[in-house]
Amino acid sequence: MGKKEQVVEALKKVIDPEMGFNVVDLGLIYDISEDNGNVKIKMTLSSPACPLSGVILTWIENEVKKLNWVNSVDIELVWDPPWNINRASENIKKALGII
């Protein structure tokens, strides 16, 4: 498993408490890059007004840092493009009755 895939698996352990699903399957992760153990994550949240944004970002950092090759985690929180349910996985859409 490559390093990017390892980061994705770590991120799947982070559950958005408002939505009840992991941040990867929700489509909140826009990009992941890695350079010499320095991981950069570009992501959004389901709402700019998310009261738990700081907690979620801490959870993300903590899970990724559990990978023994990771030196640092830089999370860039973006709002463009804005998140919508269409970014979520098919399984989540089914669970929510959207498809």
Side-chain angles (χ1 to χ4, degrees), residues 52-89:
L52 297 172
S53 61
V55 173
I56 294 170
L57 297 180
T58 299
W59 291 343
I60 287 171
E61 182 177 1
N62 290 344
E63 284 301 325
V64 175
K65 281 186 172 178
K66 287 180 183 177
L67 298 168
N68 63 3
W69 54 266
V70 172
N71 297 320
S72 68
V73 179
D74 178 30
I75 302 170
E76 179 185 358
L77 196 56
V78 298
W79 304 109
D80 186 32
W83 180 84
N84 66 58
I85 196 63
N86 292 326
R87 294 191 56 85
S89 72

Side-chain angles (χ1 to χ4, degrees), residues 1 14 32 38 50 57 63 68 76 85 88 91-92 96 99:
M1 181 182 311
V14 179
I32 298 168
N38 301 309
C50 177
L57 297 180
E63 284 301 325
N68 63 3
E76 179 185 358
I85 196 63
N91 289 340
I92 289 179
L96 295 174
I99 57 172

Side-chain angles (χ1 to χ4, degrees), residues 5-19:
E5 291 81 11
Q6 290 177 38
V7 172
V8 169
E9 289 304 309
L11 292 173
K12 286 183 178 181
K13 297 176 185 174
V14 179
I15 306 299
D16 181 308
E18 291 181 316
M19 300 291 289

